[in-house]
Amino acid sequence: MKEKIITKAAEMFLSLGFKSVTMDDISNEMGISKKTIYTHFNNKTQLVKESVLKVFEEISCGIDAIQDLEKDPIEELYEIKKFVMLQLKNEKSSPQYQLQKYYPEVYTMIRKKKYENMAECTIENLKRGVEKGVYRKNIDVDFISKLYFLCIEGINDESIFPLSQFSKFKLMEDYLDYHLRGIVTSKGLETLTKYSNKN
């Protein structure tokens, strides 16, 4: 039952927002009593934390599976972007922004995990890109991996990019194009142009 509650809560938090979904909403949606939820979770914060960790694990596993395919590094980034956008598909709420505002401790914990995971993935992607000749040889891999993380976090900041003005899909698309154009070789640019046209 605990896993079912986490799954349903995660789905509702992502589509409706962490603040607006109450324990009553979750119990009504599942057809169980609120008391049942509280036998597994002390409070909403604990449920938010476990739901966020579940989503993080699912996304991490999906990204690992994409990386295991060892595709062209540029193609790999587009596949990861597509996969992540499908997981966080609702544009009516900004999960990261709400998490940061209403559950700062959970946000700090998951941000640290995201950074560690993303740094590893990005460094691996950059090194392979250099080896394959699609990224420039003179790039500073460590610097670019940190910058990539900061920019991905930044475009999710609703105070800078309000949902009323900016589509999450468009932001991700535009940023990925911007990131890659700064590091590709002429060989890499051919692949990037193909993906830009396709998307």
Side-chain angles (χ1 to χ4, degrees):
M1 180 54 79
K2 186 178 181 179
E3 277 305 308
K4 285 182 181 174
I5 295 168
I6 292 170
T7 300
K8 177 52 72 178
E11 182 189 301
M12 292 176 76
F13 289 144
L14 286 179
S15 61
L16 302 167
F18 289 101
K19 186 177 187 291
S20 50
V21 175
T22 64
M23 296 300 238
D24 282 315
D25 293 331
I26 297 163
S27 65
N28 291 338
E29 185 71 22
M30 294 187 72
I32 59 174
S33 70
K34 203 157 66 165
K35 190 180 173 187
T36 304
I37 298 176
Y38 281 112
T39 58
H40 297 287
F41 306 94
N42 297 329
N43 49 44
K44 186 181 169 186
T45 303
Q46 190 191 346
L47 179 54
V48 165
K49 182 180 177 181
E50 298 212 27
S51 300
V52 166
L53 282 168
K54 179 184 172 62
V55 172
F56 173 78
E57 289 303 325
E58 285 174 353
I59 290 175
S60 297
C61 287
I63 291 171
D64 287 347
I66 291 167
Q67 286 200 297
D68 287 344
L69 298 172
E70 294 191 354
K71 295 185 173 201
D72 172 272
I74 294 169
E75 186 184 352
E76 180 179 273
L77 286 183
Y78 274 97
E79 288 297 317
I80 289 171
K81 181 210 65 148
K82 191 164 76 176
F83 170 74
V84 173
M85 292 310 287
L86 280 171
Q87 300 306 303
L88 307 172
K89 56 187 172 285
N90 196 294
E91 289 216 359
K92 290 176 190 145
S93 68
S94 177
Q96 179 178 295
Y97 184 69
Q98 286 200 4
L99 199 62
Q100 186 175 3
K101 191 172 180 182
Y102 301 107
Y103 298 93
E105 285 180 18
V106 178
Y107 170 78
T108 302
M109 176 270 300
I110 207 69
R111 188 175 189 269
K112 185 173 183 290
K113 281 180 166 290
K114 266 168 67 182
Y115 172 68
E116 288 163 0
N117 191 274
M118 258 183 86
E120 195 180 313
C121 294
T122 310
I123 287 168
E124 174 66 28
N125 180 277
L126 291 166
K127 284 180 176 175
R128 276 200 307 116
V130 170
E131 280 168 24
K132 289 182 177 287
V134 293
Y135 299 157
R136 288 184 288 108
K137 278 187 165 56
N138 63 339
I139 60 171
D140 184 330
V141 168
D142 189 48
F143 169 72
I144 290 170
S145 73
K146 285 177 167 58
L147 193 62
Y148 186 72
F149 174 78
L150 286 173
C151 291
I152 291 288
E153 287 282 288
I155 62 174
N156 282 310
D157 187 336
E158 218 179 292
S159 65
I160 300 170
F161 296 104
L163 285 171
S164 56
Q165 276 180 268
F166 298 92
S167 152
K168 282 271 181 271
F169 290 92
K170 186 81 167 63
L171 279 173
M172 278 299 294
E173 193 69 39
D174 289 349
Y175 175 63
L176 187 53
D177 188 74
Y178 177 84
H179 164 71
L180 286 166
R181 282 182 191 280
I183 60 173
V184 292
T185 57
S186 53
K187 180 184 173 185
L189 188 59
E190 289 175 25
T191 308
L192 176 57
T193 305
K194 183 182 82 177
Y195 274 90
S196 294
N197 293 338
K198 209 159 96 173
N199 286 279

